[in-house]
Amino acid sequence: MKYIIVTGGVMSGLGKGITTASIGRNLKNKGYKVTAIKIDPYINIDAGTMSPFQHGEVFVLKDGGEVDLDLGNYERFLDTELTREHNLTTGKVYESVISKERRGEYLGKTVQIIPHITNEIKERIRRVAAKSGADVCLIEVGGTVGDIESMPFLEAVRQMYREEPKENLAFVHVTLVPMDPQGDQKTKPTQHSVKELRELGLKPNIIVTRCPEPLLEGTISKISLFCDVSEEAVISAHDADDIYEVPLMLEKEGLTDFLMKHLELTSTGSEDKSWSKMVDRMHHLKGDVKIGIVGKYTHLEDSYLSISASIKHASIECGVNYEVCWINAETFEDHPEMVSSLSEYDGILVPGGFGERGTEGKIRAIQYARENDIPYLGLCLGMQLSVIEFARNVAGLEGANSSEFDENTPYPVIDILPEQENVVDMGATMRLGDYDAALRPGSLAEKIYGQSSIVERHRHRYEVNPNYVEKIEAKGMVFSGKNRNRMEIAEIPGKKFFFASQFHPEFKSRPGRPSPPFKAFIESMIK
Ligand code: GLN
């Protein structure tokens, strides 16, 4: 197994995740099987309990793992499906060491960070890598070198460096080369962060520098000299117009060749060009569709990262440009008349969410889309609210609501399933990950998926209450996807496009392989 360890210096937010995913994509293009692990040094067991406000979107894996959004980038760039074990957190590591200690597995020893925590980290990395059947395993260490939290992880990879043959490990350090007011590229922050890495016993083989403009030759030789890496291992990762160009840029900068040489990976003879073809298509989009996303965390695009990605995949596939506007749902609560401003959009999307805030505004937006036949895509909460809207305004169930927002509603058309009640562990209260749905013959759902049964990822606690299905369907909304008595898809036939799903199709969309509902949504806007 070859390991590529990616660390970050100077500051967070440099695009370490995209760099990691891009390196992986390039090796995949060369015919290697690649997997990736994200280390998040926080104490949370997983990202499930974290607010998308603070931490960006919670990405959901097929096995129900609620993980950092970087795993979404790995899945999209590597076109793979990962499991919860691919996200290692301090919480998970300590949890298992402590329970081993309680079971007496350490035979009376004092349990310490070195070796017990570091052994646990190494074991997990090696186990996940081996299980994936990959040739190359990328390991991205979250945070910045020097953070207290990441110390045990860096120590663990340092030990791996001692234990593994030299050609099995490559250390990539991502840093920042800022420009001073005179426009000079400054290498000091990079020098300092490499020094910090050295103090931990680690030496980078490759330095990827984020910089506004391509690195000058003088800058490269300076970094090479001061940081003790060869010049060809100083990679310029200057600002790109689009993150999907990063793999191509790193390839052009020679990163893949250097890595392969270092890791003694010989050519497999195969070369996958689909990524560059996809980027090429992306540069030749014609026309424009305008999508309004009515949500809660509208000022933070990271909170809906997979949705943005899915729209992008679909638009590239359809050959059309798109514009996304984030609309705060609460606007329509304070100013109901403003809802008519939605007429300027070609399509309206209501994403997933939790809590009551903004729900009435979203319901108004959905009503407007339905009544004015604007293509509508509802995801999870966006599906539940479209059912509530339909129940109230078409099926005559006045005051219908979800019991999540109104416990005393006369018509709980969205309700919690009995088996989900009374769970205290916050990590165990939701229906998470892959579930299948049978699609109704002749429905829009069946048409857009082109198959009669699908598997999609879920993250919800509430569902359509089966007791109201008949009443609602009698008025024209169709539940065209079902998992036994669970309603997975709601659609309204006769509309340009009105499709809402209890699942989150955005987690399975890939560049070159867009999610069917997103593709159909974009197509309906072009027509
Ligand atoms: N709050 C809703 C539920 O728990 C919807 C969840 C979501 O949109 N992810 O069922």
Side-chain angles (χ1 to χ4, degrees):
M1 179 67 59
K2 306 287 183 184
Y3 296 98
I4 300 172
I5 292 130
V6 183
T7 53
V10 185
M11 62 180 214
S12 61
L14 286 182
K16 210 164 12 121
I18 296 298
T19 305
T20 307
S22 300
I23 292 172
R25 179 66 205 199
N26 287 342
L27 288 167
K28 178 186 158 74
N29 290 348
K30 301 275 184 220
Y32 287 101
K33 194 157 183 281
V34 182
T35 193
I37 296 174
K38 171 78 196 288
I39 291 176
D40 281 309
Y42 46 65
I43 298 177
N44 304 57
I45 298 285
D46 61 34
T49 54
M50 297 172 106
S51 159
F53 244 149
Q54 267 197 25
H55 206 256
E57 162 187 280
V58 176
F59 192 79
V60 181
L61 301 170
K62 64 174 176 182
D63 67 354
E66 299 173 278
V67 294
D68 187 83
L69 53 80
D70 277 318
L71 276 91
N73 286 325
Y74 301 166
E75 286 204 344
R76 288 186 282 267
F77 277 64
L78 300 174
D79 195 4
T80 186
E81 288 198 285
L82 302 171
T83 61
R84 66 175 83 232
E85 292 179 312
H86 289 256
N87 194 189
L88 205 52
T89 64
T90 297
K92 281 182 193 165
V93 173
Y94 273 75
E95 186 187 45
S96 81
V97 168
I98 290 168
S99 60
K100 281 181 190 166
E101 186 273 331
R102 289 290 84 186
R103 290 197 300 269
E105 287 184 28
Y106 295 112
L107 308 172
K109 292 211 181 77
T110 310
V111 181
Q112 295 179 299
I113 293 186
I114 305 172
H116 302 97
I117 294 290
T118 49
N119 281 351
E120 179 76 25
I121 294 168
K122 287 187 292 179
E123 252 166 55
R124 282 176 174 248
I125 289 175
R126 289 186 169 121
R127 190 173 61 220
V128 175
K131 211 164 121 187
S132 72
D135 307 305
V136 182
C137 178
L138 289 140
I139 303 162
E140 178 190 347
V141 185
T144 308
V145 170
D147 295 348
I148 292 183
E149 285 97 336
S150 56
M151 294 287 182
F153 294 100
L154 292 171
E155 169 59 17
V157 292
R158 187 196 68 80
Q159 293 172 18
M160 281 179 73
Y161 178 71
R162 292 192 46 215
E163 294 159 6
E164 297 275 338
K166 295 285 164 279
E167 69 278 11
N168 278 8
L169 246 70
F171 286 90
V172 178
H173 192 53
V174 182
T175 72
L176 176 73
V177 172
M179 295 219 287
D180 70 7
Q182 286 74 44
D184 289 333
Q185 297 180 331
K186 308 306 283 179
T187 65
K188 198 65 91 188
T190 300
Q191 293 178 39
H192 277 294
S193 88
V194 170
K195 194 170 147 225
E196 196 133 23
L197 207 53
R198 286 236 198 84
E199 280 166 14
L200 302 171
L202 294 167
K203 181 183 172 307
N205 303 110
I206 294 169
I207 297 178
V208 174
T209 65
R210 291 283 296 108
C211 41
E213 281 165 27
L215 283 190
L216 300 169
E217 256 172 55
T219 316
I220 293 177
S221 53
K222 204 161 167 191
I223 293 174
S224 159
L225 183 65
F226 281 96
C227 302
D228 194 26
V229 295
S230 65
E231 289 195 4
E232 49 169 347
V234 180
I235 304 293
S236 171
H238 36 277
D239 288 352
D241 291 336
D242 193 286
I243 57 166
Y244 288 172
E245 285 171 21
V246 177
L248 306 178
M249 177 197 293
L250 297 182
E251 177 75 29
K252 210 165 122 214
E253 287 286 317
L255 177 54
T256 321
D257 289 341
F258 186 86
L259 261 174
M260 285 178 63
K261 209 164 64 187
H262 178 87
L263 293 170
E264 298 183 3
L265 290 169
T266 48
S267 162
T268 61
S270 77
E271 182 84 43
D272 179 355
K273 292 221 167 20
S274 57
W275 190 272
S276 57
K277 282 189 190 138
M278 181 272 297
V279 173
D280 192 53
R281 262 203 312 280
M282 187 173 79
H283 289 308
H284 294 94
L285 303 179
K286 285 191 200 72
D288 206 5
V289 292
K290 197 168 172 190
I291 304 164
I293 301 188
V294 184
K296 189 159 71 167
Y297 307 110
T298 46
H299 60 289
L300 253 185
E301 215 182 306
D302 262 7
S303 313
Y304 301 115
L305 192 64
S306 295
I307 292 176
S308 304
S310 304
I311 292 173
K312 184 167 159 182
H313 304 158
S315 90
I316 295 173
E317 189 74 7
C318 296
V320 64
N321 264 311
Y322 66 94
E323 185 190 340
V324 166
C325 298
W326 303 90
I327 304 157
N328 186 347
E330 280 169 302
T331 316
F332 305 138
E333 291 175 7
D334 306 337
H335 309 280
E337 72 290 351
M338 294 263 294
V339 78
S340 63
S341 65
L342 292 175
S343 64
E344 66 175 286
Y345 297 100
D346 301 310
I348 292 171
L349 189 156
V350 174
F354 294 85
E356 197 197 347
R357 226 183 84 199
T359 49
E360 290 301 323
K362 291 178 196 176
I363 289 173
R364 287 215 169 96
I366 297 167
Q367 180 178 7
Y368 188 85
R370 181 179 57 76
E371 289 177 348
N372 294 280
D373 202 7
I374 301 174
Y376 174 73
L377 179 62
L379 308 174
C380 205
L381 179 65
M383 181 251 200
Q384 298 177 353
L385 297 178
S386 68
V387 173
I388 294 170
E389 189 279 317
F390 194 87
R392 284 184 193 173
N393 300 326
V394 183
L397 304 174
E398 205 179 313
N401 212 332
S402 164
S403 51
E404 179 180 5
F405 315 129
D406 179 6
E407 275 180 34
N408 304 315
T409 168
Y411 305 111
V413 291
I414 306 295
D415 205 358
I416 206 151
L417 282 195
E419 69 214 60
Q420 300 276 59
E421 272 171 15
N422 305 322
V423 194
V424 240
D425 177 355
M426 284 303 279
T429 58
M430 276 197 275
R431 184 166 178 249
L432 287 165
D434 271 358
Y435 288 95
D436 54 10
L439 306 184
R440 181 181 294 200
S443 63
L444 173 65
E446 190 202 43
K447 189 168 145 238
I448 68 176
Y449 276 95
Q451 53 200 62
S452 58
S453 135
I454 54 166
V455 176
E456 292 276 14
R457 299 186 192 170
H458 298 68
R459 183 176 191 243
H460 63 109
R461 199 170 282 128
Y462 293 80
E463 344 229 351
V464 174
N465 186 337
N467 300 332
Y468 293 97
V469 165
E470 224 183 280
K471 267 211 174 70
I472 291 170
E473 288 204 320
K475 295 290 179 191
M477 178 174 261
V478 175
F479 294 103
S480 57
K482 285 185 196 176
N483 175 308
R484 288 171 299 135
N485 69 336
R486 289 174 145 125
M487 305 308 130
E488 293 279 2
I489 299 172
E491 57 184 70
I492 305 179
K495 297 274 174 203
K496 275 188 207 139
F497 184 84
F498 194 104
F499 183 96
S501 65
Q502 183 57 76
F503 50 80
H504 290 270
E506 69 268 28
F507 294 134
K508 281 179 77 175
S509 182
R510 301 282 185 267
R513 217 154 41 77
S515 161
F518 281 88
K519 188 169 166 235
F521 181 46
I522 301 274
E523 278 168 349
S524 73
M525 288 183 247
I526 302 173
K527 271 175 206 155

